[in-house]
Amino acid sequence: MKQLIPDFLHLIYPNVCLVCHENLLDNEQFVCFSCLSRLSYTSYHLQRDNPIEKKFWGKFAIERATSLFHFQKETPSQLLLHHLKYKGDKEIGEVLGRMLGETLKATSEFNMIDMIVPVPLHPKKLQKRGYNQSEWIAKGIAAALQKPMDTEHLIRIKENPTQTKKGVYERWENASGIFALTSQHYFEGKHLLLVDDVITTGATIEACANTLLEGTNVKISVATLAIA
């Protein structure tokens, strides 16, 4: 009888892959292993001075930076991020975040972080969307690394327009001055892992990092699901 109930529900609400729509196996969540294998993984967590770290050189003092995979249009990476950000499938963020967190275990630098901080949404956008996709990614990373996550002390104080169709300078200008700390001392002396969904120009990450670095003796590393 216990098995009949989930089997019946499965007929009404098929448990299928978000990408290929094939039925998922018992040990698969939201996306099948076949579609996960088609992602273009970066392995940047194993590379010092990788392209993401170079992106922030001269902008703020960065310890380490990585992304799980490359963002490519019309591939599973685009579909997964679209579901995460716009379709309400926030749980996929935690699943992929755990995958990212497991890769970070391979490096001592990422293992030595003290706290995970997701890029915050403005309260109006949070209310409209219902969740912060970066926070769900951070949840997965936190679970994998067994590190605390903070969502209270870095806040977004300016509701800026979407970055999607903006150029490099416009993105930087759009992100300038939009974050603030609720406490100048809370992050003092901590190595923070700043988490977002996608890095494009890095303007949002840069704005977040420079705000966090207003604290005393703060170190910043960065992890995202994708790099565009």
Side-chain angles (χ1 to χ4, degrees):
M1 188 65 183
K2 288 182 179 179
Q3 186 58 41
L4 285 175
I5 295 174
D7 286 348
F8 176 71
L9 291 174
H10 180 74
L11 292 174
I12 304 174
Y13 305 105
N15 189 22
V16 299
C17 174
L18 294 177
V19 177
C20 67
H21 307 297
E22 294 292 329
N23 287 336
L24 292 173
L25 301 176
D26 289 341
N27 57 343
E28 295 174 335
Q29 290 182 287
F30 301 101
V31 57
C32 67
F33 293 142
S34 176
C35 287
L36 286 175
S37 70
R38 291 163 54 201
L39 294 173
S40 178
Y41 296 99
T42 71
S43 297
Y44 286 159
H45 61 291
L46 301 175
Q47 302 174 32
R48 277 280 188 180
D49 303 334
N50 63 56
I52 303 176
E53 292 174 5
K54 289 180 179 179
K55 188 183 288 287
F56 298 113
W57 283 0
K59 297 177 180 177
F60 68 91
I62 189 165
E63 300 296 318
R64 292 299 315 275
T66 190
S67 294
L68 183 61
F69 52 79
H70 293 281
F71 175 86
Q72 298 169 319
K73 291 185 176 180
E74 299 179 2
T75 69
S77 64
Q78 183 179 26
L79 286 169
L80 287 173
L81 289 169
H82 185 76
H83 274 277
L84 168 61
K85 200 165 182 176
Y86 302 112
K87 294 293 186 179
D89 293 309
K90 56 186 181 293
E91 293 87 356
I92 188 63
E94 186 171 5
V95 172
L96 295 174
R98 280 181 177 270
M99 287 180 59
L100 176 55
E102 289 298 329
T103 69
L104 300 183
K105 287 182 178 180
T107 60
S108 59
E109 298 97 333
F110 283 112
N111 268 312
M112 291 174 66
I113 64 164
D114 298 304
M115 188 173 291
I116 298 165
V117 180
V119 171
L121 288 180
H122 189 273
K124 288 184 179 179
K125 183 171 283 188
L126 182 60
Q127 185 177 27
K128 182 178 180 180
R129 183 173 293 166
Y131 62 95
N132 178 359
Q133 72 278 2
S134 297
E135 184 176 335
W136 279 82
I137 298 165
K139 283 182 182 180
I141 297 174
L145 295 181
Q146 294 294 293
K147 301 286 186 178
M149 177 179 73
D150 182 82
T151 61
E152 297 180 3
H153 295 88
L154 175 69
I155 59 173
R156 190 180 295 241
I157 57 174
K158 177 181 172 184
E159 186 183 17
N160 59 329
T162 179
Q163 303 268 63
T164 306
K165 296 183 179 180
K166 295 184 180 295
V168 175
Y169 178 75
E170 288 178 306
R171 283 173 179 259
W172 176 83
E173 189 176 42
N174 194 40
S176 181
I178 65 175
F179 300 102
L181 296 175
T182 61
S183 168
Q184 291 291 324
H185 306 291
Y186 183 77
F187 295 122
E188 185 174 331
K190 291 184 173 63
H191 182 181
L192 306 177
L193 182 66
L194 188 56
V195 174
D196 205 1
D197 52 357
V198 184
I199 290 179
T200 305
T201 64
T204 300
I205 290 287
E206 180 186 349
C208 274
N210 281 320
T211 301
L212 290 168
L213 288 168
E214 292 173 7
T216 303
N217 194 27
V218 173
K219 295 180 180 180
I220 303 291
S221 289
V222 173
T224 70
L225 286 185
I227 177 170

